[in-house]
Each structure stands twice: as C-alpha cells, then as structure tokens.
Amino acid sequence: MSRFLRIFRQVTVEPVLFVFMLCTFLKYPVNQQLIFRKTCIQLYNESFCANNFTRKACGKSLSEQENAVQKSSSEWIFYNSVAYSVPSIISSLLLGSWSDKFGRKVAILLPLIGLAIEAISSILNVHFYDASPVYLLYGNILSGIFGGFSTILMALFSYMADITKDKSNRTLRIGLLESMTFVGGATGELISGVLIEKLGFMAPYIIVLTLITIIIFYILFVLKESYFPNQQSRFFSLNTFHGSLKVWIKHRPQNNRIHLLLLLAVGFFVPILIFTGTNDVLILFVLHRPFCFSSSMIGYFLAVSLVVKGVGVLIGMPVMTRILKLSDTTIVCAGIITNIASTVFMAFTTNTWQAFLAISSGIFNGITVPAVRAIMSKLVGSDEQGSLFAVLASASSVGTLVASSIFNNIYKVTVSTWPGLCFIVMSCLLLLPLFLMIYFCICVKTSDYHLEVNDADTLVDSQESVT
C-alpha cells in the first residue's frame, strides 16, 4: 500500500496528457469520417451516401464515385491540417520560450481551452449536418491559435524535464509520459467508432468538451507549478522568439550543436512526418476497397495500433533502459526498424487480418520520438528546456503541414491504382534517421548521451529554482 501511495504521489502531468490524447484521438477519426460524409453529401446527396457507402454496399460498381469522394476528402483533410498547423507553429514557439520565463501551467492550459472551443465548433457542424466541410476549418484555426497539440506536448515534456533533475531517470519518465499518448489515444479511438454507430457524431464531441473541462479544473487547483524563474520579463516580446532560436545557434562543446541540429532535422522531424502522414491517410485507406471498414471497425483498428505502441513504450522502454542498459540511440534504432517493417507490410495488405497484423508489427514505433526528445534534452541546460521543446513543438506542427502536403497528395493521385504506395514512401524516408542513429552509435563517443557538459549548470539551476 505504501508503495502504491509513493507511485501515486509521483503522478503529475500524466493525467493531463492522458485526457488530452483521449479527446484528441477520439475526435480525430470522428473528424475524418465527418469530413468523408459531408464531402459525399456535397458531391451527391445524403440518401445516396447513406445507402451506398457502407460495408455491405462496398463493391466495384461504385468505384468511380468512391474514388471521387476519397480524393475530395483527402483535400479537405489537408486543408484542416493547414488551418490547425500554421497558427500553432507560431504560438508554440512563443509559448515555449515564454514558459521558461513565467512557468509551465499557462502553456498547458491554453491548448486545452483551444480544444474545448474546437469541440463546440464541431458540435455546431454536426448540428448543421448538410453544411459544407469548410466550416470545420474555423474550429481548427482557433485551436491552433491557442497552441494546439504541439504546444501542450512542449509544455508537458518541459514540465517533466523540470521535475526529473536526475538525467539517468529522464528517459524513462519521458517515455512513461509519452505512453499516455498511446493509452489515452487507444481509449479514445476504441470508443470513437462505437459512439458514431450507436449515438451519432454529436456524442463524441460532447464527451470531449466534458473531459477537457474536468482536466482544466485539475490543472488550476491540483497541479503544482514546476518552474520558478528568478527574473521576470515582459509578458511577450521579440526576445521570446529569440530565446527559442538561441538554443540551436549557441556554441556547445563536443560538436553538440551539430548533433542537436541533425537530431532535429532528421532524427525527430522524419518520424513526426511518418506519424502524422500515417494518421492522415490510414482512415481513408481502410475505408477504401477491399477493406471497407465500418466506423466501429476503424475504432478497433486504430485502438489496436495505439495499444501495441503503448505496450512497446510501457514495457519496452523500461526493459531497454533499466535491464538491457541500451543507449538512447540504440533504442531509437529499434523503434525505426519496427516502423519500417509495419509501413512496408501495410503497403501490401489486401484483407482485414493482414491490416491488423501490419499495424501490430510496429510495436516499438512509439519509443522513437520520446527517445530522441530525451537525447536532445540531455544536450541543453535546464533553463533551455522550454525553448528546446518549443522548437520541437513547432517542428511537429511543420511536420504535420509537410506530411499532409506530401502524403495526402500521393494518396489522392494513387488511390485508383495503388493506395499503399504512400506507405512505401514512408518506409524509404525512415532510412534517413536510421542511418543517423547508426552513425551516432558508431562514431559519436558518448555514454548513453549522459553528457557532462550541462551537469554543473543543471545543479546550479536546481538550487536556484528551490530558492
């Protein structure tokens, strides 16, 4: 019992990420299917779509109409990604460096407020079911202005970096925090399809709004601030942006500045491209022939994907770090290899059981990004964590935008010939970070990236924060 209480007392931002991911991954497949239905209604009519775009009616006789709806839906998914990503790139850069001066809690709260506003917008879009998909853009724009997905990840990982002064424990704690993405996301996606089939499109958004409201109260009245800077500055200024960029141009010993830039451009950005690109095309892929998944089947399929990745993080990360004593770079390699295997397998699937097996083969896909984050956080000082994660958050937003541009267009062009081609492109891109990590393993002489360069700074910053 005492051990359980000790573990419970260590819980900080994990419930926040769990609820945020549950709501995000609950609304994400609902949004895409709502776009699909609205697009179909705009091209044809509601009765035609209700009678023909079902699992039972899926067949070759409607291939032309199906391809038309798929192509148009892919375009609208891209537009929604742009509407969400562009404002969040700016806001995440601003809020990241800002949180190094004023603390983390406000940077955590703002994206949740934005998600609540988006949920209200989506409820209105469901109420006006026949309205154009263009009205879905407004909720995404507002959510992006408040920081969105990338900003809350920046704030939460900065919070975790603040409270884990022991760098040897940071990889594990960041990995466990990242696992909330898969646990919460799997829960959201598991119930999304069932909610659509049983209660319609309105229920998921009402649930999202309710849960976000509860977690906002948790942050306001339960969660403690993790970072107390010594000096205050103006609320917002151009120096805020400069602080985020200074991390990357600052001179560092042992070529660590070059290592940071390589990790950002290749080790972090490419896996983000693949993650967001997969999210953009996967639902359309399984809605297409020969799969023709129903809403509930889509929910089960996506939930299995996240559960498998969550198991890989929750079990694989502690085993690799604590028992096998693997370096962070070796852990990243393991994640990339399973990601390549799963994407290649998915490209050649032709039936349901193969699709489930392909998505399950990527068991260590989820450890790649948190391990890279951990490596990068060890290369900078504690007073640079917010700025570091701010740029990573903005890179995630840029990755979302670039991935949508690349993979939605590839899918739109190849949907009538080989829809799986975009997965082959993904597997080829993943070779870049794999080669980078192999280079680090062989040529960069460090010990698990627990570098001494920032150890003294970390100790000083810890003492000043306590004071």
Side-chain angles (χ1 to χ4, degrees), residues 254-307:
Q254 302 178 24
N255 293 320
N256 286 338
R257 180 174 62 181
I258 297 175
H259 296 162
L260 268 177
L261 293 172
L262 285 173
L263 286 167
L264 173 66
V266 181
F268 180 81
F269 189 72
V270 174
I272 288 294
L273 276 183
I274 307 309
F275 176 78
T276 54
T278 301
N279 286 342
D280 271 7
V281 303
L282 191 58
I283 292 177
L284 293 178
F285 182 73
V286 296
L287 281 171
H288 196 268
R289 291 176 293 111
F291 307 104
C292 301
F293 279 9
S294 63
S295 294
S296 58
M297 183 64 76
I298 290 173
Y300 301 147
F301 179 69
L302 297 176
V304 167
S305 171
L306 282 179
V307 166

Side-chain angles (χ1 to χ4, degrees), residues 26-27 30 192 195-196 199-209:
L26 170 58
K27 75 178 181 63
V30 177
S192 64
L195 288 172
I196 293 173
L199 301 174
F201 284 101
M202 186 72 75
Y205 297 119
I206 294 175
I207 292 174
V208 167
L209 185 58

Side-chain angles (χ1 to χ4, degrees), residues 93-321:
L93 267 178
L94 189 67
L95 289 170
S97 184
W98 180 86
S99 71
D100 281 337
K101 298 178 176 65
F102 295 94
R104 314 297 186 194
K105 286 184 66 172
V106 174
I108 296 173
L109 278 169
L110 288 177
L112 294 167
I113 295 172
L115 183 56
I117 294 172
E118 184 187 351
I120 295 172
S121 173
S122 299
I123 290 172
L124 293 174
N125 272 279
V126 174
H127 181 71
F128 299 101
Y129 192 67
D130 295 338
S132 170
V134 71
Y135 295 107
L136 289 167
L137 298 177
Y138 301 140
N140 282 285
I141 292 171
L142 292 172
S143 184
I145 290 173
F146 278 85
F149 184 91
S150 55
T151 296
I152 196 167
L153 287 184
M154 171 276 300
L156 293 177
F157 285 114
S158 297
Y159 189 104
M160 187 58 68
D162 293 337
I163 65 174
T164 53
K165 298 300 182 182
D166 179 9
K167 292 185 180 181
S168 63
N169 192 42
R170 185 175 296 171
T171 300
L172 178 60
R173 287 299 302 270
I174 287 180
L176 292 176
L177 178 61
E178 184 92 12
S179 70
M180 294 298 103
T181 300
F182 307 110
V183 178
T187 305
E189 291 184 329
L190 184 64
I191 64 176
S192 64
V194 177
L195 288 172
I196 293 173
E197 290 192 348
K198 302 295 184 182
L199 301 174
F201 284 101
M202 186 72 75
Y205 297 119
I206 294 175
I207 292 174
V208 167
L209 185 58
T210 303
L211 290 177
I212 291 299
T213 302
I214 293 171
I215 206 65
I216 285 175
F217 280 104
Y218 168 80
I219 296 169
L220 288 173
F221 300 109
V222 178
L223 188 67
K224 297 179 180 179
E225 181 58 73
S226 66
Y227 188 71
F228 301 93
N230 292 322
Q231 59 183 13
Q232 297 292 320
S233 60
R234 292 193 317 180
F235 193 73
F236 286 118
S237 69
L238 292 177
N239 290 333
T240 305
F241 290 99
H242 178 70
S244 294
L245 299 178
K246 186 178 178 181
V247 175
W248 308 93
I249 61 177
K250 177 181 177 180
H251 176 73
R252 301 178 190 276
Q254 302 178 24
N255 293 320
N256 286 338
R257 180 174 62 181
I258 297 175
H259 296 162
L260 268 177
L261 293 172
L262 285 173
L263 286 167
L264 173 66
V266 181
F268 180 81
F269 189 72
V270 174
I272 288 294
L273 276 183
I274 307 309
F275 176 78
T276 54
T278 301
N279 286 342
D280 271 7
V281 303
L282 191 58
I283 292 177
L284 293 178
F285 182 73
V286 296
L287 281 171
H288 196 268
R289 291 176 293 111
F291 307 104
C292 301
F293 279 9
S294 63
S295 294
S296 58
M297 183 64 76
I298 290 173
Y300 301 147
F301 179 69
L302 297 176
V304 167
S305 171
L306 282 179
V307 166
V308 168
K309 292 175 185 176
V311 169
V313 172
L314 285 171
I315 298 177
M317 188 73 83
V319 169
M320 291 179 183
T321 57

